[in-house]
Amino acid sequence: MKLKALILDKKAMDRTLTRISHEIIEKNKGTEGIMLIGIKRRGYPLAKRIAENIYKIEGVRLDVKGVDISFYRDDLSPLSEQPVVNEFNVTDVENKKIILVDDVIYTGRTARAAMDAIIHSGRPRLIQLAVLIDRGHRELPIRPDYVGKNIPTSREEMISVEISEIDKKDSVKIYEL
């Protein structure tokens, strides 16, 4: 892989997540009934950052949960006959405004799998999607409500999101395969 460009550094990522936080508050006319659900792996820490931003802006602590979508994927073979339920499976979504958070949206299959997992737990009032990067190439009719940055890519390119909670630094880069 060859590095093509640095898309976001730490400061740009912080500004982007702050803007998404403001947009969530504005679109929902406040924070009433909102729950953030981050898609395992990088979506969960990003959801926690958005929740912290919302706390700084509104003084309200939102519930932040994580969802593990591996059992709900339609493009992977099952790992076992029985799903493994862990701390990343959500509960208490009934009648909540769910903001689903992920790092990158590509085909839409991850977001669809996460929505399946959430709906399996109950009936939310609504589900909105927030992504740090939208790289295009959708295979399903799924469109994020909140986008940090649109990065049109070719299928021969890869977006790499690094976050300090997992990777010890914050950045978004694009690579040529």
Side-chain angles (χ1 to χ4, degrees), residues 71-133:
F71 180 68
Y72 295 90
R73 296 286 299 259
D74 66 358
D75 57 344
L76 300 175
S77 60
L79 299 176
S80 66
E81 289 185 29
Q82 294 297 317
V84 176
V85 178
N86 58 39
E87 77 276 8
F88 281 99
N89 286 335
V90 297
T91 58
D92 304 324
V93 299
E94 204 67 36
N95 207 31
K96 297 267 176 55
K97 294 179 185 177
I98 304 298
I99 312 296
L100 186 60
V101 181
D102 204 5
D103 58 346
V104 177
I105 187 166
Y106 182 41
T107 63
R109 292 185 182 279
T110 298
R112 189 219 48 123
M115 285 186 268
D116 285 350
I118 291 166
I119 292 167
H120 184 83
S121 299
R123 184 182 167 128
R125 183 166 158 202
L126 61 84
I127 299 175
Q128 297 172 346
L129 178 60
V131 297
L132 184 62
I133 303 294

Side-chain angles (χ1 to χ4, degrees), residues 110-168:
T110 298
R112 189 219 48 123
M115 285 186 268
D116 285 350
I118 291 166
I119 292 167
H120 184 83
S121 299
R123 184 182 167 128
R125 183 166 158 202
L126 61 84
I127 299 175
Q128 297 172 346
L129 178 60
V131 297
L132 184 62
I133 303 294
D134 183 347
R135 65 172 288 188
H137 303 285
R138 219 72 81 240
E139 295 174 3
L140 299 172
I142 293 174
R143 183 179 49 95
D145 300 275
Y146 312 100
V147 177
K149 196 154 183 73
N150 285 294
I151 307 293
T153 62
S154 77
R155 293 191 185 273
E156 289 75 42
E157 294 173 320
M158 182 186 90
I159 298 286
S160 171
V161 175
E162 296 175 309
I163 58 171
S164 59
E165 295 89 338
I166 296 170
D167 308 298
K168 308 296 183 231

